mmCIF file of all heavy atoms in Angstrom:
data_model
loop_
_atom_site.group_PDB
_atom_site.id
_atom_site.type_symbol
_atom_site.label_atom_id
_atom_site.label_comp_id
_atom_site.label_asym_id
_atom_site.label_seq_id
_atom_site.Cartn_x
_atom_site.Cartn_y
_atom_site.Cartn_z
ATOM 1 N N CYS A 295 -7.363 -24.068 -10.010
ATOM 2 C CA CYS A 295 -8.022 -25.363 -9.824
ATOM 3 C C CYS A 295 -9.501 -25.317 -10.203
ATOM 4 O O CYS A 295 -10.220 -26.309 -10.025
ATOM 5 C CB CYS A 295 -7.884 -25.806 -8.367
ATOM 6 S SG CYS A 295 -6.204 -26.196 -7.865
ATOM 7 N N GLY A 296 -9.968 -24.171 -10.716
ATOM 8 C CA GLY A 296 -11.373 -24.032 -11.089
ATOM 9 C C GLY A 296 -12.295 -23.848 -9.910
ATOM 10 O O GLY A 296 -13.506 -24.055 -10.018
ATOM 11 N N LEU A 297 -11.740 -23.451 -8.758
ATOM 12 C CA LEU A 297 -12.530 -23.314 -7.535
ATOM 13 C C LEU A 297 -12.720 -21.856 -7.127
ATOM 14 O O LEU A 297 -13.172 -21.572 -6.026
ATOM 15 C CB LEU A 297 -11.853 -24.079 -6.383
ATOM 16 C CG LEU A 297 -11.660 -25.580 -6.608
ATOM 17 C CD1 LEU A 297 -10.865 -26.189 -5.456
ATOM 18 C CD2 LEU A 297 -13.014 -26.277 -6.759
ATOM 19 N N GLY A 298 -12.369 -20.932 -8.007
ATOM 20 C CA GLY A 298 -12.531 -19.522 -7.704
ATOM 21 C C GLY A 298 -13.951 -19.059 -7.926
ATOM 22 O O GLY A 298 -14.780 -19.767 -8.514
ATOM 23 N N GLY A 299 -14.236 -17.870 -7.445
ATOM 24 C CA GLY A 299 -15.557 -17.300 -7.634
ATOM 25 C C GLY A 299 -15.707 -15.992 -6.897
ATOM 26 O O GLY A 299 -14.814 -15.583 -6.143
ATOM 27 N N PRO A 300 -16.826 -15.312 -7.093
ATOM 28 C CA PRO A 300 -17.062 -14.028 -6.423
ATOM 29 C C PRO A 300 -17.158 -14.198 -4.909
ATOM 30 O O PRO A 300 -17.429 -15.287 -4.390
ATOM 31 C CB PRO A 300 -18.397 -13.559 -7.013
ATOM 32 C CG PRO A 300 -18.558 -14.346 -8.279
ATOM 33 C CD PRO A 300 -17.908 -15.662 -8.021
ATOM 34 N N ILE A 301 -16.959 -13.097 -4.208
ATOM 35 C CA ILE A 301 -17.058 -13.061 -2.755
ATOM 36 C C ILE A 301 -18.303 -12.287 -2.371
ATOM 37 O O ILE A 301 -18.509 -11.159 -2.824
ATOM 38 C CB ILE A 301 -15.806 -12.405 -2.141
ATOM 39 C CG1 ILE A 301 -14.561 -13.247 -2.460
ATOM 40 C CG2 ILE A 301 -15.964 -12.238 -0.638
ATOM 41 C CD1 ILE A 301 -13.266 -12.588 -2.055
ATOM 42 N N GLY A 302 -19.141 -12.889 -1.547
ATOM 43 C CA GLY A 302 -20.403 -12.255 -1.182
ATOM 44 C C GLY A 302 -21.263 -12.047 -2.412
ATOM 45 O O GLY A 302 -21.354 -12.920 -3.288
ATOM 46 N N ASP A 303 -21.877 -10.876 -2.536
ATOM 47 C CA ASP A 303 -22.713 -10.621 -3.710
ATOM 48 C C ASP A 303 -21.886 -10.153 -4.913
ATOM 49 O O ASP A 303 -22.413 -9.984 -6.010
ATOM 50 C CB ASP A 303 -23.819 -9.616 -3.394
ATOM 51 C CG ASP A 303 -23.305 -8.222 -3.026
ATOM 52 O OD1 ASP A 303 -22.093 -7.954 -3.195
ATOM 53 O OD2 ASP A 303 -24.113 -7.390 -2.565
ATOM 54 N N GLY A 304 -20.578 -9.924 -4.692
ATOM 55 C CA GLY A 304 -19.701 -9.538 -5.792
ATOM 56 C C GLY A 304 -19.851 -8.104 -6.249
ATOM 57 O O GLY A 304 -19.168 -7.682 -7.190
ATOM 58 N N GLN A 305 -20.709 -7.331 -5.593
ATOM 59 C CA GLN A 305 -20.947 -5.949 -6.022
ATOM 60 C C GLN A 305 -19.955 -4.960 -5.412
ATOM 61 O O GLN A 305 -19.908 -3.793 -5.812
ATOM 62 C CB GLN A 305 -22.376 -5.525 -5.644
ATOM 63 C CG GLN A 305 -23.464 -6.327 -6.354
ATOM 64 C CD GLN A 305 -23.341 -6.221 -7.865
ATOM 65 O OE1 GLN A 305 -23.244 -5.131 -8.416
ATOM 66 N NE2 GLN A 305 -23.344 -7.359 -8.540
ATOM 67 N N GLN A 306 -19.161 -5.407 -4.434
ATOM 68 C CA GLN A 306 -18.203 -4.515 -3.788
ATOM 69 C C GLN A 306 -17.086 -4.139 -4.763
ATOM 70 O O GLN A 306 -16.626 -4.942 -5.559
ATOM 71 C CB GLN A 306 -17.620 -5.148 -2.525
ATOM 72 C CG GLN A 306 -16.720 -6.353 -2.719
ATOM 73 C CD GLN A 306 -17.478 -7.669 -2.747
ATOM 74 O OE1 GLN A 306 -18.627 -7.740 -3.173
ATOM 75 N NE2 GLN A 306 -16.821 -8.737 -2.292
ATOM 76 N N TRP A 307 -16.667 -2.873 -4.681
ATOM 77 C CA TRP A 307 -15.648 -2.363 -5.584
ATOM 78 C C TRP A 307 -14.256 -2.721 -5.086
ATOM 79 O O TRP A 307 -13.979 -2.697 -3.895
ATOM 80 C CB TRP A 307 -15.770 -0.844 -5.729
ATOM 81 C CG TRP A 307 -16.948 -0.459 -6.563
ATOM 82 C CD1 TRP A 307 -18.229 -0.249 -6.136
ATOM 83 C CD2 TRP A 307 -16.965 -0.271 -7.979
ATOM 84 N NE1 TRP A 307 -19.040 0.058 -7.196
ATOM 85 C CE2 TRP A 307 -18.290 0.061 -8.341
ATOM 86 C CE3 TRP A 307 -15.992 -0.334 -8.969
ATOM 87 C CZ2 TRP A 307 -18.658 0.324 -9.657
ATOM 88 C CZ3 TRP A 307 -16.358 -0.073 -10.289
ATOM 89 C CH2 TRP A 307 -17.678 0.246 -10.612
#
Side-chain angles (χ1 to χ4, degrees):
C295 293
L297 301 175
I301 297 172
D303 64 10
Q305 296 302 309
Q306 68 272 31
W307 286 88

